Amino acid sequence: MSPHTNYSISDLHIDPYAMSSFYGGNGVPTGHSEFAHIKELTGCNGYSITGLITHINATERHIRPLVPGIYAPTVAFFDEETEDLDIDTIKKHAVRLAKAGLHGLVTQGSNGEAVHLSHTERRIVTASTREALDEAGFRDMPIIVGCGSQSIRETIELCHEALLSGGDYAMILPPSYYGALYTSESQFEFFTKIADQSPVPILIYNYPGAVSGIDLNSDVITKLAKHPNIVGCKLTCGNTGKLGRIAARAPSGFMTMGGSADFTLPALIGGGKGVIGGLANIAPKACVEVFNLYHAGKMEEAEKMQAIIGRGDWAAIKSGVVGTKSCLQSHFKYGGYGRKPLPRPTPEQAAAYLAEFEELLLLEEFLMNGSRKENIHFDKESEYPDLIELEKLLS
């Protein structure tokens, strides 16, 4: 048992018979109809995951389709004292997002503090999220799992673990530690070899800020999009020109996604299928509503809502997962803190974060209450005239 957690690698058990049947001698799924058994997880913090059995038939299993829309890279939650995973809050948060109308969830993203989690913990988070969605009636909601690692070998391993934990797709960053030594051919080989052996379809995650500035161009991504097991990309680079080129040249059905809520509308206009954005942890209904308004042809309302979301997302971008968790804690009364060495905000900092999100939170409240006239925030008109104008249009 690890001295730092209440669970160990043995707590998430994968039946070796199922694994040996699933993997061929070259590490490629064989397609045999076997099961991976994830046994009950218990620890002195009192959480448990029971009865989760994931079918791993690579050729026959049900794959939940990715649909155009808004996806949230979910936050990982921890006990404030021990920093153990807070499973109850992870599950509660996933259901809250699903009920707000999101089209899918992502575990192990930047907001999910994947870099702070062990392999075991990654599997626990994904399995808990899948279990929560299923129990709440969202069995068809897909889960994308962040599986980025520096080597092809470990990334493939993470893709297999994603499947066995209930994930449907893998989202993968390019390798960066030896960035100066990599060529465009190196990156192409990295994604191609992973796609060849991954038991789940993959999405390319282009986020230069997280990988020493490595920025995959549209030529590379469009070429990779031809691989049958590469089904989409998330562009946190914010380059809408790149997004438009990929959307126009990639095979039909390729999910070209924006990577931040602050350019949802530009992404959709440019041909993107939607957005995977961290702001949806705070205001999922508002993020979805921009998508809905655009597709309903209500451009005036969509543009006004995008402006408010853009201001809210700027607050999230500046403060990162620290500000996002602080907002969740202050406004929704759950969230806690990131794992160390992430800083914990002071009371003054927490109040400042909340103030920057206020306009967006008011919009979210209005939408969640049904966009009724009696819920317009007339008392805030002097502070947020754009918000009141939008609420009047929507009511």
Side-chain angles (χ1 to χ4, degrees):
M1 181 71 70
S2 165
H4 303 297
T5 64
N6 289 325
Y7 35 80
S8 69
I9 191 69
S10 62
D11 289 329
L12 190 63
H13 172 69
I14 298 173
D15 189 318
Y17 172 73
M19 290 295 288
S20 63
S21 299
F22 182 56
Y23 294 112
N26 59 357
V28 180
T30 64
H32 290 308
S33 181
E34 302 294 345
F35 294 88
H37 300 266
I38 302 176
K39 72 178 183 181
E40 181 175 2
L41 295 165
T42 57
C44 44
N45 57 2
Y47 66 78
S48 68
I49 305 173
T50 59
L52 182 60
I53 302 177
T54 304
H55 196 291
I56 59 172
N57 185 322
T59 58
E60 298 177 4
R61 75 181 185 88
H62 171 66
I63 297 177
R64 299 170 184 87
L66 286 180
V67 298
I70 306 300
Y71 293 65
T74 59
V75 176
F77 300 97
F78 307 103
D79 182 277
E80 292 185 15
E81 298 299 326
T82 66
E83 294 194 351
D84 289 338
L85 290 173
D86 182 349
I87 299 299
D88 289 342
T89 302
I90 288 170
K91 296 176 74 171
K92 178 178 77 171
H93 183 66
V95 173
R96 173 185 160 242
L97 299 184
K99 287 182 175 179
L102 290 180
H103 300 88
L105 300 181
V106 181
T107 59
Q108 324 311 331
S110 304
N111 276 274
E113 295 183 58
V115 295
H116 290 165
L117 303 179
S118 68
H119 278 231
T120 300
E121 290 173 322
R122 286 177 176 231
R123 295 196 295 269
I124 291 170
V125 169
T126 299
S128 301
T129 301
R130 179 74 270 159
E131 185 177 69
L133 292 176
D134 289 351
E135 289 173 347
F138 297 97
R139 291 183 174 275
D140 292 331
M141 178 171 281
I143 295 178
I144 304 168
V145 183
C147 293
S149 184
Q150 294 302 307
S151 71
I152 291 173
R153 184 185 183 92
E154 186 181 19
T155 305
I156 293 170
E157 179 183 345
L158 288 168
C159 291
H160 283 287
E161 292 177 2
L163 169 63
L164 298 174
S165 304
D168 300 288
Y169 301 85
M171 188 168 69
I172 298 171
L173 285 162
S176 60
Y177 188 84
Y178 298 108
L181 302 178
Y182 297 139
T183 64
S184 58
E185 289 76 17
S186 303
Q187 299 290 0
F188 183 80
E189 180 186 31
F190 175 80
F191 284 101
T192 299
K193 287 191 176 297
I194 292 166
D196 286 343
Q197 298 187 56
S198 172
V200 293
I202 70 172
L203 290 84
I204 300 163
Y205 187 8
N206 191 55
Y207 183 11
V211 290
S212 304
I214 292 174
D215 189 1
L216 302 176
N217 63 42
S218 56
D219 292 338
V220 171
I221 295 175
T222 302
K223 186 178 178 182
L224 286 166
K226 297 176 182 178
H227 193 292
N229 208 30
I230 299 178
V231 298
C233 63
K234 176 185 177 182
L235 302 179
T236 307
C237 55
N239 187 329
T240 54
K242 179 191 296 183
L243 183 149
R245 290 190 295 274
I246 295 168
R249 294 169 55 198
S252 176
F254 188 80
M255 294 288 287
T256 307
M257 308 284 282
S260 181
D262 66 347
F263 68 103
T264 300
L265 196 54
L268 295 173
I269 292 170
K273 297 296 194 296
V275 163
I276 301 171
L279 191 67
N281 285 289
I282 293 173
K285 191 75 171 179
C287 290
V288 169
E289 193 61 20
V290 173
F291 178 87
N292 292 339
L293 289 169
Y294 170 77
H295 283 284
K298 297 181 178 180
M299 289 302 295
E300 181 181 5
E301 294 91 333
E303 289 174 5
K304 292 181 182 299
M305 191 172 293
Q306 178 65 70
I308 294 173
I309 286 174
R311 289 192 285 272
D313 205 22
W314 178 232
I317 291 167
K318 288 187 295 182
S319 59
V321 67
V322 172
T324 295
K325 282 192 166 184
S326 179
C327 179
L328 289 172
Q329 184 65 50
S330 297
H331 187 75
F332 297 101
K333 308 308 177 186
Y334 72 89
Y337 306 102
R339 270 190 174 165
K340 296 174 182 176
L342 282 175
R344 295 189 173 190
T346 64
E348 293 77 18
Q349 289 171 328
Y353 290 145
L354 185 61
E356 287 204 77
F357 287 115
E358 184 181 34
E359 182 186 29
L360 177 66
L361 290 168
L362 291 170
L363 173 59
E364 183 75 3
E365 177 185 73
F366 174 76
L367 295 172
M368 291 299 293
N369 286 331
S371 303
R372 298 188 297 265
K373 283 187 178 181
E374 58 266 31
N375 297 126
I376 295 175
H377 294 93
F378 286 112
D379 59 323
K380 296 289 185 177
E381 189 161 18
S382 61
E383 296 172 78
Y384 306 116
D386 293 345
L387 170 66
I388 308 311
E389 184 180 355
L390 174 60
E391 291 181 346
K392 289 178 180 177
L393 277 174
L394 295 173
S395 63

